[in-house]
Amino acid sequence: MTLPAIITDWFASRGWVPRRHQLEMVDAAAEGRHSLLVAATGAGKTLAGFLPTLAELISDPDFDGLHTLYISPLKALAVDVRRNLLMPVEEMGLPIRIETRTGDTSSEKKARQRARPPHILLTTPESLSLLLSHEDSFAMFAGLGRVIIDEVHAFANSKRGDLLSLSLARLQAISPQMQRVGLSATISDPDAYRGWLAPYGDIDAVRLVEGEAAADPDLQILLPEGRVPWSGHSGHYAIPQLIEEIGRNRTTLIFCNTRFLAEFIFQKLWDANDPKYPIGVHHGSLSVEARRKVESAMAAGELRALVCTASLDLGVDWGDVDCVIQMGAPKGSSRLLQRIGRSNHRMDEPSKALLVPGNRFEYLEAQAAFDAVEEGVRDDEVFRPGAYDVLAQHVMACACAAPFNEADLLDEVRSAMPYSAIDAETFARVIEFVATGGYALKAYDKFRKLIPFSPLPLAGGGGGEPEGAQSPLRSLPPLTAVAPQRLRLPASGRGKSWRLAHPKFAAQHRFNAGIIVDAPMLDVRFKNGRTLGRVEENFASQLRPGDAFIFAGMAVEVEAIRDLDLIVRAAKKATQIPSYMGARMPLTTHLASRVRAFLTDRAGWARFPDDVREWLEMQDWRSALPEPGQLLAETFPHEGRHYLVVYPFEGWNAHQSLGMLITKRMEMRGLKPMGFVANDYALGVWGLEEISDPAALFSADILADEFVEWVENSYLLKRAFREVAVISGLVERQHPGKRKSGKQVTFSTDLIYDVLRRYEPDHLLLEAAWADARERLTDVGRLGDLLDRAADTMLHMRLEKVSPMAVPLMVMIGRESVAQGSVDDALLAEAESLAGIAMTP
């Protein structure tokens, strides 16, 4: 396929020529192949993905209907891409209709899009799944030519990716000619992603297109005007330097790893903003109106700086961003590279970025990320099997659209890479769960959503109603009215066919479908109805009328809490900031390995700041520095207690889980544990008795004994069950016109959890919850690796007092549950006291 003259003329009018990888994407489309484009940020990836679509619509001006779907990981990205795609379309005068569809789209517009879809629809995996749950989805997607998946790395190894892969399988069945296109700048193993993208994992069906190398980034680590702090994570010591940096640039993006930290840093910047620079804040808990206002201001060049979270780190293209600042540790080289790419979003210009480490360990992590980015090394991805709760949600969506045959749907599901290995027996368990809730729940009508039936012949014949069918079934569309060519109704012996037990279950599914299960939230509103955003129910439950807090960058005072609304008014001053229970970003194994290597690369310490180098030198003299693969364990007394500090570098999740298990084992052995504290680098436990043999606490059988008992009796499994119950559709989040509170949802799931554990311990959702609790909540894979090597690699150092490397961990004791940032000043004071002890020979 050659590009139409109108497109090449548009390139020429801007002084451009199509890049090689853009033309290769056009060639791949002409060959009828799927494609994966891996190219640097600013290389025109998005335009490359759309070029075949524009060319095809230009050559077929009479095409009417949906031609291309664009799937975005973020609502903001879909809106941003529409803005940037409309410009060339309008400048070329093309009659191409482009629209977005997300959770923010009005119901009226959504209905119109289904009746008369645009040529190009920009959406998210959740909105796509909901579209596929409608009876008219077969007609809507029948002519679909292409699906473009932007930032494919953000999807593939997650439940959102599971849902998207199943939706792609359904779209391919509806429209066999459909081409799949993946776009990314941060993939370490392209073949793995080709397999994820391809139907049935056939990587040869996906053409790999690699872009030209981009300009090397201009990356620096911002050091304080003084010493690198011992503790803390916010990096707010650098606020005066950030104000200066904002003054040097047209626009600066300041990334924070949490919503709390974004509000905290914004407030600190605002307090120090003597030049009165226009600064905004953006995160996922703000209202749609607040986010759109900030995004529009950024696009118009009206802001000098924007403090944000991961809500903006994927693909948002603001060309006038001169500098990106990362507050705190980046946690992964791929994530850092992604964020750096938001600066000077042009391939031929270097992206400028500053890293602001919060403490000395974070300095090492920042240096590790710095080196990885310079070397072009990305974090590895570990692909995992698809989740059962997501599959259950997809099966229900399929049933809402039309009756289906179990064997045929299994074939379709297996074409999605995450579910390629699912066997017929397991799939039948998923169907049975969707149909009845499972053995222990099948007596309750509210869980009986599907019923088997014998399909009617397409021409003539009779029967077809399920045994004992009631009138509600007759209100469903007849089989011949619901795309009979898609049903592939079975010949004899081909397995069961299923349909909805009642139309009400379709409405219930669409109200509650989705993969992201947020903590229970309350809307923050003014009396006039203006919504600022949402805070978590746990935080709101601690507030009383008259309490003030900072939200959306302003001080507000609580007037009342009514149902699920937190009514506020403007306040003059506030210091409290909402805390959120969002998952911590895990330290990647790649960065952890680099940090461990720093510890024993004594020749390399010369490039570190003096205080960081002295910290490591004193640790080396006073205790030891672990070799790569070695586990250092330090024991020492402090203030009447006995401490054990180990340095696995396996991330907070694994260390937190290990801390619970070790304290339990200490209790069994009479060591009288009093508590533990963990960060990404180390774990500390303390008690009343000396720990003379730490290796005995780390035997691998802890995962078979204490771990199983602990998970089964802890909140972790119940929390995981709550999420899988919501995602699978077993428990509703909301009814039409009424939203459940978090307490109501938790009560429902806890009740069902107890019933299933007693009467059906092998229930599908308990199995799914266990998988989540093991892999996501506790990082059990890294924990298992650590325990496997602990006994053979442990280096036990008996010390008389706290070691230098233990200081950043020790100062968190008693404060580990406090929101990061708010206690930094107190931490610094205590750190100086401990450091005085640790750094004295």
Side-chain angles (χ1 to χ4, degrees):
M1 179 195 304
T2 57
L3 286 176
I6 191 171
I7 294 181
T8 56
D9 290 346
W10 177 79
F11 272 95
S13 70
R14 290 184 153 257
W16 299 343
V17 292
R19 296 184 184 272
R20 172 188 54 76
H21 60 264
Q22 292 174 329
L23 295 176
E24 286 188 26
M25 293 294 286
V26 175
D27 291 341
E31 295 167 0
R33 297 181 67 188
H34 310 292
S35 55
L36 172 63
L37 171 60
V38 181
T41 298
K45 290 191 302 298
T46 306
L47 183 58
F50 280 111
L51 274 180
T53 294
L54 298 182
E56 289 164 14
L57 289 174
I58 290 169
S59 64
D60 185 6
D62 296 328
F63 184 92
D64 187 29
L66 182 61
H67 181 284
T68 294
L69 272 173
Y70 168 89
I71 309 296
S72 159
L74 300 172
K75 297 175 185 178
L77 182 52
V79 174
D80 184 71
V81 169
R82 179 179 183 273
R83 182 172 58 242
N84 292 324
L85 183 60
L86 275 176
M87 180 189 69
V89 167
E90 290 175 352
E91 290 181 354
M92 285 185 268
L94 302 177
I96 296 175
R97 288 178 290 112
I98 304 169
E99 296 180 6
T100 59
R101 184 188 183 97
T102 70
D104 296 338
T105 306
S106 68
S107 56
E108 294 81 6
K109 186 175 181 179
K110 287 180 178 179
R112 179 176 54 76
Q113 286 173 340
R114 286 172 47 216
R116 186 170 185 263
H119 296 108
I120 299 173
L121 183 63
L122 315 175
T123 189
T124 60
E126 292 80 5
S127 290
L128 172 58
S129 178
L130 286 174
L131 278 172
L132 287 168
S133 74
H134 288 277
E135 295 89 342
D136 54 13
S137 60
F138 305 110
M140 180 178 183
F141 294 112
L144 185 66
R146 185 166 293 105
V147 175
I148 301 169
I149 305 163
D150 206 354
E151 312 293 358
V152 66
H153 63 275
F155 288 120
N157 196 27
S158 69
K159 287 191 177 185
R160 295 185 82 198
D162 294 344
L163 184 68
L164 178 56
S165 68
L166 291 167
S167 296
L168 290 173
R170 170 125 295 208
L171 288 172
Q172 201 80 57
I174 295 173
S175 180
Q177 76 277 6
M178 181 192 83
Q179 295 176 0
R180 308 181 185 193
V181 176
L183 310 175
S184 180
T186 55
I187 284 178
S188 62
D189 184 357
D191 282 351
Y193 283 89
R194 289 169 70 197
W196 183 88
L197 190 64
Y200 297 100
D202 180 11
I203 66 172
D204 292 334
V206 180
R207 177 170 171 175
L208 175 62
V209 178
E210 297 183 278
E212 302 93 332
D216 293 334
D218 176 6
L219 183 60
Q220 298 178 41
I221 299 177
L222 185 66
L223 297 177
E225 296 168 344
R227 293 185 298 170
V228 178
W230 284 95
S231 62
H233 298 276
S234 70
H236 82 275
Y237 63 81
I239 291 297
Q241 294 163 277
L242 298 193
I243 292 291
E244 293 177 5
E245 188 64 36
I246 291 169
R248 285 192 284 267
N249 301 305
R250 287 171 297 177
T251 310
T252 301
L253 273 182
I254 302 172
F255 279 105
C256 300
N257 289 341
T258 65
R259 289 167 284 180
F260 170 89
L261 191 56
E263 293 275 4
F264 177 76
I265 292 297
F266 174 81
Q267 194 61 41
K268 290 290 185 181
L269 283 171
W270 197 250
D271 292 343
N273 189 15
D274 291 336
K276 305 300 181 186
Y277 296 129
I279 301 174
V281 62
H282 187 291
H283 58 76
S285 290
L286 298 182
S287 67
V288 175
E289 294 78 13
R291 284 185 276 118
R292 292 290 174 269
K293 183 178 179 181
V294 168
E295 291 161 16
S296 297
M298 279 292 291
E302 297 169 358
L303 293 180
R304 292 294 295 275
L306 179 61
V307 183
C308 57
T309 63
S311 60
L312 289 183
D313 70 359
L314 289 170
V316 176
D317 179 8
W318 289 314
D320 289 335
V321 173
D322 300 306
C323 180
V324 164
I325 297 175
Q326 166 66 42
M327 302 301 295
K331 301 303 170 191
S333 60
S334 294
R335 180 181 295 111
L336 177 60
L337 193 63
Q338 187 75 44
R339 291 180 172 181
I340 290 172
R342 309 281 65 79
S343 162
N344 285 334
H345 200 278
R346 292 171 285 273
M347 183 177 172
D348 301 323
E349 297 182 22
S351 298
K352 180 182 176 183
L354 296 176
L355 302 182
V356 184
N359 58 56
R360 298 184 184 200
F361 267 124
E362 286 195 355
Y363 173 83
L364 296 180
E365 185 182 330
Q367 187 65 58
F370 179 101
D371 293 350
V373 168
E374 281 208 326
E375 296 167 18
V377 179
R378 295 166 174 78
D379 299 309
D380 293 330
E381 290 278 3
V382 179
F383 286 80
R384 68 190 195 1
Y388 293 155
D389 51 335
V390 178
L391 180 55
Q393 184 179 132
H394 179 71
V395 167
M396 188 63 189
C398 293
C400 292
F404 66 86
N405 171 258
E406 184 174 322
D408 288 342
L409 185 58
L410 174 58
D411 290 344
E412 183 179 300
V413 164
R414 282 175 171 164
S415 73
M417 187 63 177
Y419 297 94
S420 58
I422 193 169
D423 57 63
E425 181 181 354
T426 301
F427 189 67
R429 289 177 63 206
V430 174
I431 297 289
E432 184 63 24
F433 161 72
V434 178
T436 68
Y439 172 79
L441 302 175
K442 66 192 308 179
Y444 299 92
D445 289 343
K446 66 180 293 186
F447 300 119
R448 295 179 64 83
K449 298 177 182 178
L450 305 182
I451 47 180
F453 74 104
S454 299
L456 289 167
L458 292 183
E465 290 296 320
E467 185 178 349
Q470 302 298 315
S471 58
L473 284 173
R474 304 182 190 281
S475 64
L476 289 173
L479 292 180
T480 52
V482 189
Q485 72 277 12
R486 270 286 300 118
L487 295 179
R488 300 195 302 269
L489 295 176
S492 59
R494 185 68 177 133
K496 288 183 179 178
S497 293
W498 299 85
R499 68 186 302 170
L500 285 178
H502 193 284
K504 68 179 181 181
F505 291 119
Q508 178 181 315
H509 169 81
R510 293 174 191 133
F511 262 94
N512 291 278
I515 297 303
I516 300 172
V517 182
D518 288 322
M521 308 287 275
L522 269 68
D523 291 327
V524 181
R525 301 178 183 273
F526 288 118
K527 263 187 177 179
N528 63 8
R530 178 189 167 198
T531 301
L532 292 178
R534 301 190 300 166
V535 296
E536 291 184 0
E537 190 177 62
N538 284 340
F539 172 77
S541 67
Q542 303 169 30
L543 300 174
R544 298 292 180 269
D547 289 347
F549 62 96
I550 296 169
F551 187 68
M554 66 179 72
V556 294
E557 179 183 317
V558 177
E559 287 196 341
I561 299 178
R562 299 173 187 160
D563 296 325
L564 297 177
D565 289 340
L566 185 62
I567 311 300
V568 300
R569 62 186 173 200
K572 291 184 178 179
K573 190 175 181 181
T575 58
Q576 191 176 12
I577 299 175
S579 57
Y580 297 88
M581 297 296 289
R584 293 181 182 230
M585 291 183 175
L587 174 67
T588 64
T589 54
H590 166 225
L591 281 198
S593 297
R594 285 178 176 265
V595 172
R596 276 195 293 260
F598 283 159
L599 298 181
T600 50
D601 179 21
R602 291 165 179 79
W605 294 353
R607 61 180 178 146
F608 296 166
D610 290 345
D611 46 341
V612 174
R613 185 179 66 254
E614 290 165 4
W615 171 57
L616 295 176
E617 288 172 346
M618 183 59 74
Q619 172 70 24
D620 199 17
W621 185 80
R622 283 276 321 283
S623 175
L625 288 164
E627 298 286 340
Q630 190 177 56
L631 179 62
L632 173 63
E634 298 175 332
T635 54
F636 52 84
H638 182 68
E639 296 183 346
R641 302 172 184 175
H642 292 276
Y643 286 81
L644 164 66
V645 177
V646 293
Y647 302 90
F649 293 90
E650 295 295 351
W652 181 87
N653 276 344
H655 297 167
Q656 185 80 358
S657 302
L658 183 59
M660 294 182 183
L661 299 176
I662 292 296
T663 51
K664 186 175 181 65
R665 182 162 281 191
M666 287 173 63
E667 187 174 354
M668 293 168 57
R669 299 190 178 198
L671 294 175
K672 301 176 183 176
M674 299 178 68
F676 73 92
V677 66
N679 60 23
D680 275 327
Y681 321 103
L683 163 69
V685 296
W686 63 93
L688 298 178
E689 301 291 335
E690 182 180 359
I691 303 170
S692 58
D693 182 17
L697 299 175
F698 286 76
S699 58
D701 62 357
I702 202 170
L703 286 182
D705 300 330
E706 285 93 336
F707 178 78
V708 173
E709 181 183 354
W710 165 60
V711 172
E712 287 185 341
N713 293 288
S714 75
Y715 77 96
L716 286 174
L717 195 55
K718 280 193 173 183
R719 176 183 167 189
F721 182 82
R722 172 182 171 267
E723 294 194 8
V724 300
V726 168
I727 290 172
S728 67
L730 186 70
V731 173
E732 294 179 301
R733 284 180 268 205
Q734 55 187 344
H735 293 284
K738 184 178 180 181
R739 183 159 53 114
K740 284 187 177 182
S741 71
K743 290 180 180 178
Q744 290 171 318
V745 173
T746 299
F747 177 79
S748 299
T749 56
D750 284 357
L751 187 63
I752 295 172
Y753 173 81
D754 292 337
V755 168
L756 294 182
R757 281 199 64 190
R758 177 177 296 183
Y759 298 107
E760 196 176 354
D762 60 347
H763 191 277
L764 185 82
L765 287 197
L766 289 179
E767 188 175 331
W770 249 106
D772 274 11
R774 285 174 58 87
E775 295 183 23
R776 183 169 59 86
L777 297 176
T778 63
D779 218 342
V780 74
R782 295 175 75 167
L783 186 56
D785 292 341
L786 164 62
L787 292 170
D788 283 342
R789 69 174 188 269
D792 296 329
T793 68
M794 182 173 287
L795 171 62
H796 179 198
M797 300 297 296
R798 292 179 175 85
L799 308 177
E800 295 180 358
K801 57 184 178 179
V802 60
S803 73
M805 264 200 345
V807 171
L809 187 76
M810 293 284 288
V811 296
M812 292 305 298
I813 292 174
R815 294 187 174 92
E816 59 271 18
S817 62
V818 181
Q820 292 178 4
S822 62
V823 295
D824 270 9
D825 292 335
L827 289 178
L828 289 174
E830 185 170 339
E832 290 302 323
S833 174
L834 273 171
I837 299 171
M839 296 294 286
T840 302

